Amino acid sequence: MSEQKQSLMNLLETGATYYLSHISLDCVVFGFHENQLKVLLLKMKDRDKWGLPGGFVRKEESVELAANRVLKERTGLDNIFLQQFHVFSDPDRSNNKDLIESARKTGIEVTEDNWFAQRFISIGFYALVEFSQVKPTADAISDDCTWWDLQEIKSLMLDHNLILNKALETLRLHLNYQPIGYTLLPDKFTMPELQKLYETILGKKLDRRNFQRKITGYGILKRWEERRSGVAHKAPYFYSFDTEKYKQALQEGLDGGW
Amino acid sequence: MSEQKQSLMNLLETGATYYLSHISLDCVVFGFHENQLKVLLLKMKDRDKWGLPGGFVRKEESVELAANRVLKERTGLDNIFLQQFHVFSDPDRSNNKDLIESARKTGIEVTEDNWFAQRFISIGFYALVEFSQVKPTADAISDDCTWWDLQEIKSLMLDHNLILNKALETLRLHLNYQPIGYTLLPDKFTMPELQKLYETILGKKLDRRNFQRKITGYGILKRWEERRSGVAHKAPYFYSFDTEKYKQALQEGLDGGW
DNA sequence: GCAAAAGTGTTGAAAGTACACCCATGG
DNA sequence: CCATGGGTGTACTTTCAACACTTTTGC
């Protein structure tokens, strides 16, 4: 028996023992690569549906710890930047029909009264990670785990489109209150890259010059002498966040409507 | 047997039948009266502790419906403005020792394995109500229900201080994106009253004249010919919200940092 | 040398801030 | 008649928004 199948059977049999009933969590993991905002998705086993990485809450852990544990499994990273943003609790949102069907397709029997078949209320988290550091890893009910361009994401399983949209909406609202640039970009980045990130999150174009003035005005960036070379135009400078000043500035919020 | 005691015994015995396990909700109900921001609190039976109104989620309802149901019982009002804002899930936040102790004091035996004694994850809601319309009503585990001035609230049961603080913090962030004035004030109110509300939520003084200009600038207020009389100074005009324009304005957010 | 994209600067409009002045009312 | 607090106005400053011009680089 494959390791994955074993782990799925484990979940179905022992879920009720280790996890709180009725409570699940789903994570919208954002990354930024090649000037695109990306989201980490899992492909359901033997089906053409994709969904958000999720999991359950162990009887002795907080939901934050649970989300951290789940994301460590899916990305290889520990202590990811995580924010819970909404609870999804429509009674019809899921009786896990989809998951059970997936399980059956791998040849596992799931009875109606299985722990897995109950109603779940899901706590939505969004996570911000540095794209290059993630090693996407599928879980017991999926057979693929990869990054998707935000624009290319179509119909997801269950209410995951709803969850994704709400995450995006929240991300926009949090843009000036959370270390969003800091956690999504690599240590060194250029101004155009940072601007593209903001534009993608906000869903609108920003003026190059005004953006630069405003963002540097916060005093949270450090410019390097070094530039990005190899481009067919003037080489842009590298920047890094001054983490100390960034954190300080976030206390009050980087106000101003973009 | 009192009606309340009966209802408490019912809860303990049949909780597991009607409610989802491990999930509770707590509501921070804000009202505004005599230029003070108030919060609705319950006094625990036979103890000197106060706490937030809370409840559980029925097996067939969403958490929003559950909160609405709970608040209907505590305030007499239906369809209150409600926003979930955070999930509180520290494993040690509550094994309901407090509640069980309260129950015991009313002469009801609660065993260790009772549904009530399990670990609960609580979903925090804040609610905004028009003070004068509320009829505070205690529940099965409390013997009093009244409004408290925000400033006078001291130590609450369990992690309810934490919940309250987080609610306030969220309220501040939402000030320009939610119909906060509209739901907290009576139909007619004066400019100084509205200003005091903003000041209380934000926790700082605002300039009287600039406040007036800014808030009227949004075009969401309607001024009446009528004034508030009986005060030992110039009588202020009454205002009302133009609900249509208010909702419209909220779509984009009433931006600007106060 | 030319297209593409970066760095820097200017300017007028809008918004925010800090005030001063007058007015109505009850005691 | 005066203390209290409301209504309105103005002048200064800061920020925002829309621009133009120059510089660097690969082809």
Side-chain angles (χ1 to χ4, degrees):
Chain A
M1 190 185 297
S2 78
E3 195 182 320
Q4 269 204 356
K5 184 167 172 184
Q6 182 65 53
S7 111
L8 177 53
M9 287 191 67
N10 262 344
L11 177 61
L12 291 170
E13 278 164 27
T14 63
T17 312
Y18 297 117
Y19 299 108
L20 294 178
S21 51
H22 304 300
I23 299 170
S24 65
L25 59 92
D26 288 293
C27 301
V28 182
V29 184
F30 290 105
F32 194 67
H33 185 60
E34 290 177 346
N35 276 343
Q36 291 284 344
L37 196 59
K38 311 260 189 182
V39 176
L40 198 64
L41 294 179
L42 294 166
K43 190 189 151 292
M44 292 301 102
K45 222 165 243 181
D46 301 310
R47 306 189 60 217
D48 232 12
K49 279 282 179 187
W50 291 74
L52 298 168
F56 307 100
V57 181
R58 294 183 68 96
K59 290 190 173 172
E60 73 286 357
E61 71 187 355
S62 66
V63 295
E64 283 81 10
L65 265 180
N68 192 74
R69 175 175 50 75
V70 167
L71 286 190
K72 192 173 174 183
E73 290 167 10
R74 298 286 79 71
T75 66
L77 297 179
D78 207 348
N79 281 109
I80 284 177
F81 178 84
L82 267 169
Q83 288 282 130
Q84 45 156 295
F85 63 92
H86 199 75
V87 175
F88 299 86
S89 68
D90 186 322
D92 300 322
R93 68 174 287 277
S94 146
N95 44 15
N96 279 338
K97 267 187 197 131
D98 279 20
L99 298 182
I100 291 164
E101 197 177 325
S102 270
R104 284 194 177 130
K105 286 213 173 142
T106 48
I108 297 172
E109 257 322 293
V110 185
T111 56
E112 288 284 316
D113 64 343
N114 185 282
W115 171 81
F116 214 59
Q118 64 180 316
R119 173 186 166 196
F120 277 96
I121 282 179
S122 193
I123 301 167
F125 283 83
Y126 74 81
L128 305 177
V129 299
E130 202 187 308
F131 182 87
S132 64
Q133 307 222 23
V134 174
K135 302 206 187 326
T137 312
D139 66 8
I141 56 168
S142 57
D143 52 22
D144 197 1
C145 178
T146 45
W147 290 103
W148 278 69
D149 263 29
L150 194 58
Q151 283 80 3
E152 289 169 11
I153 297 173
K154 294 294 185 304
S155 168
L156 300 176
M157 61 179 290
L158 304 176
D159 58 352
H160 287 194
N161 287 94
L162 178 66
I163 298 178
L164 173 58
N165 287 335
K166 187 84 183 172
L168 252 178
E169 196 184 301
T170 311
L171 192 59
R172 252 169 229 151
L173 281 178
H174 286 184
L175 194 54
N176 292 322
Y177 301 94
Q178 303 287 359
I180 287 179
Y182 177 49
T183 37
L184 274 172
L185 292 170
D187 286 349
K188 286 184 184 180
F189 52 88
T190 65
M191 192 56 70
E193 283 162 2
L194 181 61
Q195 183 180 342
K196 193 75 210 310
L197 172 60
Y198 271 69
E199 288 181 338
T200 316
I201 292 173
L202 294 169
K204 63 177 177 189
K205 286 251 172 289
L206 301 171
D207 183 273
R208 187 169 58 87
R209 297 149 285 192
N210 294 335
F211 176 82
Q212 172 134 349
R213 186 151 2 95
K214 184 158 180 175
I215 204 93
T216 52
Y218 290 136
I220 56 173
L221 294 179
K222 193 178 82 180
R223 189 166 88 173
W224 299 79
E225 288 301 319
E226 200 184 347
R227 292 149 174 264
R228 163 149 298 157
S229 58
V231 282
H233 54 77
K234 188 167 180 176
Y237 286 103
F238 278 116
Y239 286 85
S240 294
F241 284 101
D242 182 327
T243 44
E244 271 315 302
K245 287 188 181 156
Y246 198 163
K247 278 171 194 164
Q248 223 174 295
L250 285 171
Q251 297 291 322
E252 297 140 36
L254 306 169
D255 63 17
W258 291 96
Chain B
M1 191 183 300
S2 76
E3 195 182 320
Q4 270 203 357
K5 184 167 173 183
Q6 182 64 54
S7 110
L8 176 53
M9 289 193 66
N10 262 344
L11 177 61
L12 291 169
E13 279 165 26
T14 63
T17 314
Y18 298 117
Y19 299 108
L20 294 178
S21 50
H22 304 300
I23 300 170
S24 66
L25 58 93
D26 288 294
C27 301
V28 182
V29 184
F30 291 105
F32 194 66
H33 185 59
E34 291 178 345
N35 277 343
Q36 290 285 345
L37 196 59
K38 310 261 188 180
V39 176
L40 198 63
L41 294 180
L42 295 165
K43 188 188 153 292
M44 292 302 101
K45 224 164 239 179
D46 301 310
R47 307 189 59 219
D48 232 12
K49 278 281 179 188
W50 291 73
L52 298 168
F56 306 100
V57 181
R58 294 183 68 96
K59 290 190 172 172
E60 73 287 357
E61 71 186 356
S62 66
V63 294
E64 283 80 11
L65 265 180
N68 191 76
R69 173 175 51 74
V70 167
L71 285 190
K72 191 172 174 183
E73 290 167 10
R74 296 286 78 71
T75 65
L77 297 178
D78 207 348
N79 281 110
I80 284 176
F81 178 83
L82 269 169
Q83 289 282 129
Q84 46 156 294
F85 63 92
H86 198 76
V87 175
F88 300 86
S89 69
D90 186 320
D92 300 322
R93 67 174 288 277
S94 147
N95 44 15
N96 279 337
K97 268 188 197 130
D98 279 18
L99 299 183
I100 290 164
E101 196 177 325
S102 271
R104 285 196 176 130
K105 287 215 171 140
T106 48
I108 296 172
E109 256 324 293
V110 185
T111 56
E112 287 284 317
D113 63 343
N114 184 283
W115 170 81
F116 214 60
Q118 65 181 318
R119 172 185 167 197
F120 278 96
I121 282 178
S122 193
I123 301 167
F125 283 83
Y126 74 82
L128 305 177
V129 299
E130 200 184 311
F131 182 88
S132 65
Q133 308 222 21
V134 173
K135 301 205 189 325
T137 312
D139 66 8
I141 56 167
S142 57
D143 53 24
D144 197 2
C145 180
T146 45
W147 290 104
W148 279 69
D149 263 30
L150 193 58
Q151 284 81 1
E152 289 169 12
I153 297 173
K154 294 294 185 305
S155 168
L156 300 174
M157 60 179 290
L158 304 176
D159 57 352
H160 287 194
N161 287 95
L162 179 66
I163 298 178
L164 173 58
N165 288 334
K166 187 83 183 173
L168 253 177
E169 195 185 301
T170 311
L171 192 60
R172 253 168 229 151
L173 282 178
H174 285 184
L175 194 55
N176 292 322
Y177 301 94
Q178 303 287 358
I180 287 179
Y182 178 49
T183 36
L184 273 173
L185 291 170
D187 287 349
K188 288 183 183 180
F189 52 88
T190 65
M191 191 56 69
E193 282 162 2
L194 181 60
Q195 183 181 341
K196 193 75 208 312
L197 172 60
Y198 271 69
E199 288 182 337
T200 316
I201 292 173
L202 294 169
K204 64 177 175 189
K205 286 251 171 292
L206 301 171
D207 183 274
R208 188 168 60 87
R209 296 147 287 191
N210 296 334
F211 177 82
Q212 172 133 348
R213 184 147 14 91
K214 184 157 180 175
I215 203 94
T216 51
Y218 290 137
I220 56 174
L221 292 179
K222 194 178 83 180
R223 187 166 91 172
W224 300 78
E225 289 301 320
E226 201 184 346
R227 292 150 174 262
R228 165 157 345 251
S229 57
V231 281
H233 52 78
K234 188 168 179 177
Y237 286 103
F238 278 116
Y239 287 84
S240 293
F241 284 101
D242 183 327
T243 44
E244 271 315 302
K245 287 188 181 155
Y246 199 164
K247 278 173 194 163
Q248 222 173 297
L250 285 171
Q251 297 291 321
E252 299 140 36
L254 307 169
D255 62 15
W258 292 98

